[in-house]
Amino acid sequence: MPPFPEEPQISESAQGPRTTPASSRVTPTPRPVPGPRSAVSPRPGPRPAPPAPLAAGAKPGPAPAPKPSAASPGDQGAPQIQLIPAPADGALDAADEAVDLLLDSGRAPAEVLVLTTGDPHPWTAHERSFGEDAYWRQQDAADDVFYADGASADQAKPRPVVVVAANGGDDAVKTVLPTALARAQALLIVCGDPQQINSVLGAGV
């Protein structure tokens, strides 16, 4: 009787699940994570082109002055309008939070104007305690957020972003909101009752 053929031997290297060599694995390239950007902050513009190389023997001239971050009111259309719903007694806190988000997202303090329709912001009351001249010099210095109440909103100068705290005064809301819209060069943020704000600004909100 013929002997049974030997069973084929399975080498150890062929046993068990096969693993993919590390060199053949595809690792996804992580995408760059953008910095924090709030709903009220604009998208950054294109990066400036690198300077052209100087010709032989030429001396570098003075660097060009940086362009302003926001165009003047006559150079652009109507500002974007954003509404933050808040009761009258919470509008001031909502406005302060909006300012914090603006600054955290990269806005310079000098680009922000805050207007109130009811009681003045505590900053306004504090600065006015030193006199009207000192108070308005803060605006002219343009190195910080400036706060004004409804009575002095007409004297406020335009800035890229205007934040309105509708913290009272129905008649003041009707007066301050159009003024704020005229002062805002790029963005108007209104904190208050949506129905009241829509009735004044209409479909723009």
Side-chain angles (χ1 to χ4, degrees):
M1 198 171 169
F4 289 97
E6 294 183 0
E7 294 182 2
Q9 297 294 322
I10 301 176
S11 62
E12 293 182 1
S13 61
Q15 298 177 3
R18 294 186 178 182
T19 57
T20 305
S23 60
S24 65
R25 294 176 185 169
V26 179
T27 304
T29 303
R31 296 183 180 179
V33 180
R37 181 185 295 131
S38 67
V40 296
S41 63
R43 294 181 176 272
R47 293 184 178 180
L54 294 173
K59 294 183 179 180
K67 294 182 179 180
S69 58
S72 60
D75 295 338
Q76 61 184 16
Q80 179 185 357
I81 302 175
Q82 293 184 0
L83 170 61
I84 300 178
D89 58 359
L92 204 56
D93 289 339
D96 284 340
E97 290 179 6
V99 171
D100 288 341
L101 288 173
L102 287 166
L103 301 181
D104 290 344
S105 66
R107 280 284 181 185
E111 295 181 339
V112 183
L113 167 68
V114 180
L115 301 175
T116 58
T117 63
D119 293 336
H121 191 279
W123 186 94
T124 305
H126 173 74
E127 293 299 324
R128 277 191 159 159
S129 67
F130 299 102
E132 287 294 308
D133 291 341
Y135 168 71
W136 289 109
R137 279 199 299 268
Q138 296 281 343
Q139 175 176 237
D140 295 335
D143 57 4
D144 203 353
V145 179
F146 188 74
Y147 297 80
D149 55 22
S152 56
D154 287 337
Q155 296 175 256
K157 295 180 179 179
R159 290 196 175 189
V161 182
V162 177
V163 181
V164 177
N167 59 335
D170 292 344
D171 292 337
V173 171
K174 296 176 183 178
T175 302
V176 172
L177 286 184
T179 301
L181 185 61
R183 298 295 185 273
Q185 296 172 330
L187 177 64
L188 172 63
I189 303 173
V190 187
C191 307
D193 175 41
Q195 184 175 357
Q196 182 186 42
I197 294 167
N198 279 308
S199 67
V200 176
L201 295 181
V205 180

